[in-house]
């Protein structure tokens, strides 16, 4: 067991969500309920091992010590508020998120931005929607983590061969993402 390293773990979930946009207040709210399982039943070992085989890479070692099976029941609330926009070329949003459950319990805040040629997500549904949208996006978020089952083991099944102690987990995490989006009619890449 590589003590001090992140435990091997995988999860598989299904989700139900609802989403609403208040175009007058430039506000987007979504709710998400996820159920599933993490541990060997999530088949992470099989997936990662097969990908390594297909790519003719060294096989991963350590899955025999992965976090034990346990249930996932999580609720997540996301709030996004437009802070500034310039035509349909630039958009800056503030974001906040809360997640509570058996997989993760955390609170997050940050910003999202989009720059390019896109449909303003806060406009009422347009009569003539743009067929082509191309834009750069980026987001930066701070997460305040109270609990992470993929590191600490499950709440119901405490038999994992290796987990990280609560004091060994980084509680404040910066996450930065970015990329390019291409949307043509109903195709999104």
């Amino acid at each position: 067991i590589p003590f001090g390293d992140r435990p091997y773990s995988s999860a598989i979930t299904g989700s139900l969500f609802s989403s609403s946009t208040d175009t007058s207040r430039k506000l987007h709210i979504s709710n998400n309920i996820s159920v599933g399982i993490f541990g060997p039943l999530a088949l992470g070992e099989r997936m990662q091992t097969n990908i390594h085989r297909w790519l003719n890479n060294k096989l991963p070692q350590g899955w025999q010590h992965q976090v034990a099976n346990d249930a996932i029941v999580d609720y997540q609330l996301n709030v996004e508020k437009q802070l500034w926009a310039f035509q349909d070329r630039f958009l800056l949003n503030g974001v906040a998120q809360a997640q509570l459950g058996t997989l993760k319990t955390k609170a997050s805040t940050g910003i999202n931005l989009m720059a390019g040629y896109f449909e303003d997500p806060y406009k009422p549904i347009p009569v003539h929607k743009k067929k082509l949208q191309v834009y750069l996006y980026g987001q930066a978020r701070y997460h305040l983590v109270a609990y992470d089952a993929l590191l600490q083991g499950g709440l119901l099944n405490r038999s994992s061969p290796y987990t990280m102690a609560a004091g060994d987990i980084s509680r404040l995490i910066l996450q930065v993402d970015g990329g390019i989006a291409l949307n043509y009619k109903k195709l999104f890449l």
Side-chain angles (χ1 to χ4, degrees):
I1 296 175
F3 292 98
D5 199 2
R6 181 183 181 93
Y8 274 76
S9 57
S10 60
I12 188 165
T13 62
S15 297
L16 295 172
F17 67 91
S18 68
S19 177
S20 63
T21 301
D22 182 338
T23 57
S24 63
R25 295 189 324 181
K26 309 288 187 185
L27 185 67
H28 181 81
I29 298 174
S30 62
N31 296 277
N32 183 13
I33 296 175
S34 298
V35 294
I37 193 160
F38 63 89
L41 288 175
L43 304 176
E45 176 183 10
R46 178 179 286 172
M47 183 176 291
Q48 186 185 31
T49 301
N50 283 331
I51 290 170
H52 279 250
R53 279 191 185 117
W54 297 333
L55 298 174
N56 202 26
N57 286 336
K58 182 180 173 185
L59 296 180
Q61 304 296 310
W63 276 106
Q64 69 273 22
H65 306 296
Q66 72 180 293
V67 174
N69 291 320
D70 210 334
I72 297 170
V73 180
D74 273 28
Y75 171 76
Q76 184 174 315
L77 172 67
N78 299 302
V79 178
E80 207 167 333
K81 171 78 171 127
Q82 179 180 301
L83 301 175
W84 187 74
F86 178 72
Q87 299 174 348
D88 290 345
R89 300 292 183 266
F90 186 84
L91 178 65
L92 178 66
N93 290 328
V95 295
Q97 177 187 73
Q99 183 176 351
L100 175 66
T102 62
L103 183 64
K104 291 187 181 192
T105 298
K106 67 179 183 176
S108 307
T109 188
I111 58 169
N112 291 344
L113 68 92
M114 295 169 58
Y117 181 74
F118 56 89
E119 194 73 52
D120 182 346
Y122 296 105
K123 280 186 181 174
I125 298 173
V127 176
H128 301 290
K129 188 173 179 175
K130 294 178 180 176
K131 290 182 181 179
L132 175 67
Q133 299 180 63
V134 180
Y135 55 91
L136 300 172
Y137 68 89
Q139 63 182 10
R141 295 182 186 193
Y142 273 104
H143 304 284
L144 181 59
V145 179
Y147 171 74
D148 186 336
L150 298 179
L151 299 175
Q152 297 175 267
L155 290 174
L156 305 173
N157 183 354
R158 306 299 292 170
S159 67
S160 296
Y162 171 65
T163 58
M164 295 184 75
D168 293 337
I169 295 173
S170 298
R171 298 295 175 186
L172 186 61
I173 299 169
L174 173 63
Q175 177 183 347
V176 179
D177 301 306
I180 301 170
L182 172 64
N183 187 353
Y184 180 71
K185 295 183 181 179
K186 294 185 179 187
L187 176 66
F188 186 84
L189 179 65

